[in-house]
């Protein structure tokens, strides 16, 4: 199939990547975005080789934006002891592309710029979809305009307006039990502090793990700013509870809640918390595997967070949306009709995204362990290069399966590695509390 008319709803990372993938194959794509303009909102994002090599093939030129190659993932306990360092020195030679740290706004702007320069893509801002016709298919905009297409891709996020219709039931996002803080701070104070300068000079993704929370940090924009992500359980969060509208920017008059919450942690984490000014805070949500990603007509498909939201603990959310885009384009190349292609897309993508989402939940438990037998067992296991390593990238087979995947080749699905074990019973009270939160709380 060539030269289809495609509507993509949502100009986030997944929607823009889908447009670029389809335009490369000669399809005409219209992107509909409800926002007036792209904003500087957001923080750091990691671009792994399994998605970077796809973007490169669609003409996205990363040489035009500031980014930092990652040295890898380093895991430490809350006292500052290094438990495991997973080097990314071989990313390009082993998987075909490097691994970058980049500001999310810079990535979105780069993708939008690439899309605008493509003659097969029309990007329409301030266009809100009011209604879907899943059979035609078509969309009706809030101003009454009706747009028809051969294919509609809904990349409108975790609160997708069409997901319930495709599945025939209400499917609200589920509260995972965790709250996330996204923080950007100037790098200069870190560089001026001998105890902290290594965080900028040596661009590891640092993961400090402790009771009911963890912190992640890495530099951005050539070392000008430092990105901090802090994730804690609702019950241990000392800040003002978030209402169900989800994420909000907060200009903190005081960083007391984070300083107090991480009192007693290693000096690096305490100092990072003390630097906090403005931050983004939101509830982390996901949901179990959907029944359907595709409408009954076979002409409307969900993509990215609309069908497989996942917590950020594996830094794969945007990457998996990018793989979705590649898989749809590949299916359209190899199948005789749109319904056949979308059925193939769902069949190929569901197992991989489900496995990755489940692994984020496994990491959620291991990253937040209390001191005790469970933590001691974890510390012993992180050096093992086998399926019992609780750190996903610590087992080379899982790492190869993740980063070496080619989403344009549906035959490469292969056997899915086994999940690492969940924590032992010493942690059960904490796990039971989180399970209750996951079951009862909805966004």
């Amino acid at each position: 199939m060539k030269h289809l008319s495609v509507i993509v709803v949502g100009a986030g990372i997944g929607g823009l990547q889908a447009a670029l993938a389809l335009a490369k194959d000669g399809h005409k794509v219209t992107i509909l975005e409800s926002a007036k303009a792209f904003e500087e909102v957001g923080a750091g994002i990691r671009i792994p080789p399994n998605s970077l090599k796809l973007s490169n093939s669609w003409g996205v030129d990363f040489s035009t934006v500031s980014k930092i190659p990652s040295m890898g993932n380093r895991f430490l306990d809350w006292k500052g002891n290094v438990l495991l360092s997973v080097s990314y020195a071989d990313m390009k030679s082993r998987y075909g592309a490097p691994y970058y740290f980049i500001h999310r706004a810079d990535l979105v702007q780069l993708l939008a710029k690439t899309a605008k320069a493509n003659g097969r893509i029309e990007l329409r801002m301030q266009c809100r979809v009011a209604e879907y016709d899943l059979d035609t298919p078509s969309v009706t905009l809030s101003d009454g305009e009706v747009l028809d297409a051969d294919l509609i891709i809904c990349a409108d996020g975790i609160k997708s307006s069409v997901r319930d219709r495709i599945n025939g039931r209400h499917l609200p996002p589920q509260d995972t039990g965790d709250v996330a803080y996204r923080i950007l701070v100037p790098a200069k104070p870190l560089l001026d502090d001998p105890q902290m300068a290594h965080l900028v000079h040596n661009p590891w993704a640092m993961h400090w793990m402790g009771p009911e929370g963890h912190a992640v940090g890495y530099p951005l924009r050539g070392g000008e700013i430092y990105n901090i992500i802090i994730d804690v359980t609702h019950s241990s969060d000392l800040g003002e509870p978030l209402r169900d509208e989800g994420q909000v920017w907060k200009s903190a008059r005081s960083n007391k809640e984070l300083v107090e919450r991480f009192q007693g942690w290693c000096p690096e984490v305490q100092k990072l918390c003390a630097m906090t000014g403005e931050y983004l805070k939101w509830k982390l949500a996901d949901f179990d595997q959907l029944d359907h990603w595709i409408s009954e007509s076979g002409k409307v498909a969900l993509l990215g967070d609309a069908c497989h939201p996942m917590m950020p603990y594996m830094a794969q959310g945007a990457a998996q949306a990018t793989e979705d885009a590649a898989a749809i384009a590949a299916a359209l190349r190899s199948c005789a009709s749109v319904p056949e292609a979308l059925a193939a897309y769902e069949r190929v993508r569901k197992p991989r995204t489900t496995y990755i989402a489940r692994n984020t939940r496994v990491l959620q438990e291991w990253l937040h362990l209390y001191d005790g037998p469970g933590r001691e067992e974890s510390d012993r296991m992180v050096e093992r290069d086998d399926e019992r390593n609780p750190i996903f990238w610590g087992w080379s087979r899982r790492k190869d399966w993740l980063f070496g995947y080619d989403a344009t080749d549906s035959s490469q699905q292969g056997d899915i590695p086994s999940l690492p074990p969940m924590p032992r019973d010493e942690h059960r009270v904490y796990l039971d509390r989180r399970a209750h939160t996951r079951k009862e709380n909805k966004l």
Side-chain angles (χ1 to χ4, degrees), residues 291-354:
D291 299 327
H292 307 289
W293 290 14
I294 310 302
S295 66
E296 188 174 353
S297 69
K299 299 176 182 179
V300 180
L302 300 172
L303 179 146
D305 283 352
C307 52
H308 54 72
M310 52 189 70
M311 289 179 286
Y313 300 160
M314 281 183 58
Q316 278 286 320
Q320 290 308 302
T322 304
E323 287 189 3
D324 290 348
I328 288 179
L332 291 172
R333 286 194 298 271
S334 62
C335 295
S337 68
V338 170
E340 181 185 343
L342 292 189
Y345 155 70
E346 178 178 340
R347 184 172 61 251
V348 168
R349 295 299 299 156
K350 258 189 177 182
R352 180 169 169 86
T353 57
T354 299

Side-chain angles (χ1 to χ4, degrees), residues 268-307:
E268 288 89 346
V269 172
Q270 292 191 59
K271 289 182 178 182
L272 291 173
C273 289
M275 294 175 66
T276 301
E278 188 177 60
Y279 57 79
L280 177 67
K281 180 180 179 181
W282 80 102
K283 293 178 180 179
L284 295 181
D286 63 5
F287 45 65
D288 291 329
Q289 179 177 297
L290 297 181
D291 299 327
H292 307 289
W293 290 14
I294 310 302
S295 66
E296 188 174 353
S297 69
K299 299 176 182 179
V300 180
L302 300 172
L303 179 146
D305 283 352
C307 52

Side-chain angles (χ1 to χ4, degrees), residues 142-288:
S142 57
D143 64 1
E145 182 181 4
V146 178
L147 300 175
D148 296 334
D150 299 307
L151 163 64
I152 297 176
I153 297 173
C154 303
D156 53 346
I158 192 170
K159 295 187 177 182
S160 172
S161 62
V162 75
R163 179 175 59 242
D164 288 359
R165 283 193 59 196
I166 287 176
N167 282 271
R169 60 191 178 97
H170 186 40
L171 292 162
Q174 299 293 309
D175 189 338
T176 65
D178 283 5
V179 173
Y181 294 77
R182 293 274 186 176
I183 305 158
L184 292 175
V185 298
K188 189 177 186 305
L190 300 177
L191 292 169
D192 292 341
D193 184 338
Q195 190 178 36
M196 305 290 283
H198 71 97
L199 299 178
V200 180
H201 290 314
N202 303 310
W204 291 87
M206 305 287 284
H207 299 70
W208 293 274
M209 310 180 296
E212 296 198 46
H214 75 282
V216 180
Y218 52 84
L220 296 172
R221 289 182 175 165
E224 294 181 1
I225 54 179
Y226 197 75
N227 184 66
I228 307 163
I229 309 106
I230 292 175
D231 300 286
V232 299
T233 61
H234 292 324
S235 59
S236 69
D237 181 30
L238 301 180
E240 180 182 351
L242 287 174
R243 294 187 176 91
D244 285 349
E245 59 264 25
Q247 60 188 53
V248 291
W249 273 105
K250 292 189 65 176
S251 183
R253 296 179 181 178
S254 169
N255 49 26
K256 179 181 178 181
E257 64 186 75
L258 286 176
V259 171
E260 184 178 349
R261 170 62 179 79
F262 288 91
Q263 184 179 8
W265 284 51
C266 64
E268 288 89 346
V269 172
Q270 292 191 59
K271 289 182 178 182
L272 291 173
C273 289
M275 294 175 66
T276 301
E278 188 177 60
Y279 57 79
L280 177 67
K281 180 180 179 181
W282 80 102
K283 293 178 180 179
L284 295 181
D286 63 5
F287 45 65
D288 291 329

